[in-house]
Structure formats: C-alpha cells, structure tokens
C-alpha cells in the first residue's frame, strides 16, 4: 500500500499546524512545514535566503518556482518514506498542480487535502492568544492550550514568545488576503478532485482532532 500523504490548509491561527503535528505523531508520518523550511533558508544568509526573508517579513508569498523546487528536493528524502503530513506547504493553484503531479511521479500520491476551517472573525482573537517557543517551535494558546508553567515551554523550558507576525494587524490582513485569493484556489483544486475534507476549526483541539480522524476514516 502507498504511504499516506496529507496536505493541510488553514488560515493563520486556525490550528492547522497543531492538527498536522498530532496526526503525524500518532501515525508516525513525517511532518514538514514549508514555513519552517523557508525560515531556515532565510536564516542561512545566502542571497536566495535574503530574498526569501524579505518576502516573509512583508507577509507575501515566496515565488512558486522556489517552492516547487524546495518541495521536490525535500519530499524525496528517505525520512518521507513512511508517509508525510504537509503543513501549509501548498498556497497557490500553481503549486497545487505541480506538487500533486510530483507526488504521483515519486510514487507517493496525495491521500487527502485537509482544510481546518475557521471564520475570519475568529482569527484576530486566536492570534492574540497564541504563544510559541523560539527554540523547538511548540505552539500554545493562552485559552485553549496553555503551557503548564506560565510563559515557559513544556518541552524544553525556553521562554515563550508571541510571534511578531501575530501582533501586526496590517501584516495579518495581508496574509488573510493571500489565503483567500491564492490558497483558496489551491483548496478548490483539491475539492474539484474530490480529495478535500473540511474540518470545523472552532472547537477544542481534541474535538477538532476527533472530527479530522473520523473524516479521514482513521
Ligand atoms: P507559515 O510559517 O506557514 O505561516 O509561513 C510563513 C511564511 O512563509 C508565509 O507567510 C509565506 O511568506 C511563506 N510561505 C510558506 N509556505 C509557502 C508557500 N507554499 N508558498 C509561498 N510562500 C510560502
């Protein structure tokens, strides 16, 4: 049987990353976030990294050619062999078509696309409550998933921070715009292939996860 491959979609603050990680942990799939890979590239100081950093810092999307190339290299690594959870990996219809075809060509066709659905009105209050660990990337929510000790990462003990991009209203609006304009088309592409499942993101983490697994037949 082919390894399972899931692509997660969700607006900033929807809980997509949390759900993607839960699924990856339970089913021993490799969790890969394009945002994390691009941030690493930006931190590398290379010329390409500098360009990527400028785009990320402005809340804009990185060009499709770069994304498809990064995806192609990453998805063929041996750690992807048992299955993959793609987190925020695909954000335009061009990427959707290219990455969908590439996954087929490397013998790992997409099992399902998952949309963690959250109304726009919820986004700002969610982002206000979000804290993340600058060391290991763990994410907390002051209301729904607080750390055991205030301000401290449960996993590694580092001081938690609010992400700069979660506090900047204009930046958030730019990202919301990209989500509806560009990522919306990628989501529609998978819906047209009957590969999309939509999960109500306005619930507690465990309830979202239950609905997710049930809709995936897991
Ligand atoms: P994230 O951590 O997923 O919120 O991603 C951070 C930033 O990386 C986004 O705001 C974009 O600038 C960039 N990015 C991540 N994934 C993609 C993608 N598939 N296509 C274009 N840009 C991306």
């Amino acid at each position: 049987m082919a390894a399972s491959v899931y692509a997660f979609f969700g607006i900033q603050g929807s809980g997509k990353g949390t759900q993607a990680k839960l699924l990856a942990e339970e089913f021993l799939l490799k969790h890969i976030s394009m945002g994390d890979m691009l941030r690493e590239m930006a931190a590398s100081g290379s010329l390409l990294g500098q360009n990527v950093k400028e785009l990320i810092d402005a809340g804009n999307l990185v060009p499709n050619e770069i994304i498809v190339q990064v995806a192609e290299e990453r998805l063929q690594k041996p750690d992807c062999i048992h299955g993959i959870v793609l987190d925020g990996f695909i954000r335009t219809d061009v990427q959707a078509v290219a990455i969908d075809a590439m996954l087929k060509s490397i013998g790992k066709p997409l099992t399902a696309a998952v949309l963690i659905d959250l109304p726009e009105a919820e986004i700002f209050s969610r982002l206000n409550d979000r804290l993340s660990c600058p060391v290991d990337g763990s994410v907390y929510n002051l209301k729904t998933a607080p750390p055991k000790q205030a301000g401290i990462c449960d996993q590694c003990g580092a001081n938690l921070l609010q992400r700069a991009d979660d506090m900047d209203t204009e930046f958030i609006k730019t990202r919301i715009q990209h989500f509806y304009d560009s990522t919306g088309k990628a989501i529609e592409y998978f819906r047209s292939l009957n590969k999309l499942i939509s999960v109500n993101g306005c619930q507690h983490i465990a309830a979202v996860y239950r609905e997710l697994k049930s809709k995936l037949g897991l």
Side-chain angles (χ1 to χ4, degrees), residues 26-202:
E26 181 171 351
F27 295 95
L28 305 178
L29 309 169
K30 184 70 194 167
H31 169 262
I32 311 177
S33 148
M34 181 59 80
D36 287 348
M37 284 200 290
L38 293 174
R39 275 185 287 274
E40 270 171 37
M41 202 188 255
S44 75
S46 69
L47 197 57
L48 181 59
Q50 284 170 27
N51 290 338
V52 165
K53 184 171 183 327
E54 276 169 29
L55 291 164
I56 294 180
D57 286 350
N60 289 323
L61 293 176
V62 172
N64 289 322
E65 307 82 70
I66 297 180
I67 299 295
V68 172
Q69 197 190 332
V70 169
E72 212 165 304
E73 280 170 24
R74 183 65 189 87
L75 299 180
Q76 302 201 52
K77 293 207 169 149
D79 60 356
C80 290
I81 200 144
H82 300 301
I84 320 168
V85 175
L86 302 173
D87 178 355
F89 214 82
I90 300 172
R91 301 203 187 192
T92 68
D93 51 349
V94 172
Q95 293 174 19
V97 173
I99 293 174
D100 190 36
M102 185 229 304
L103 285 167
K104 277 191 202 126
S105 76
I106 61 174
K108 297 188 185 86
L110 189 78
T111 312
V114 175
L115 171 64
I116 307 294
D117 204 13
L118 190 77
E120 200 178 332
E122 272 278 315
I123 299 167
F124 284 90
S125 74
R126 286 268 182 120
L127 294 177
N128 233 354
D129 291 336
R130 180 154 83 168
L131 287 176
S132 60
C133 175
V135 177
D136 67 15
S138 302
V139 179
Y140 301 86
N141 183 287
L142 289 173
K143 289 203 191 98
T144 57
K148 292 192 183 99
Q149 196 186 336
I152 304 290
C153 177
D154 292 352
Q155 310 296 329
C156 74
N159 286 322
L160 298 174
L161 298 175
Q162 195 171 19
R163 264 169 58 171
D165 55 348
D166 283 353
M167 296 187 285
D168 181 336
T169 312
E170 281 313 305
F171 181 84
I172 294 168
K173 284 188 187 153
T174 306
R175 288 190 46 164
I176 292 174
Q177 196 66 34
H178 285 308
F179 184 80
Y180 286 118
D181 292 352
S182 304
T183 311
K185 290 191 192 133
I187 294 168
E188 287 316 311
Y189 170 76
F190 291 113
R191 201 194 301 277
S192 75
L193 298 179
N194 271 332
K195 288 217 158 176
L196 185 77
I197 66 140
S198 176
V199 178
N200 174 12
C202 281

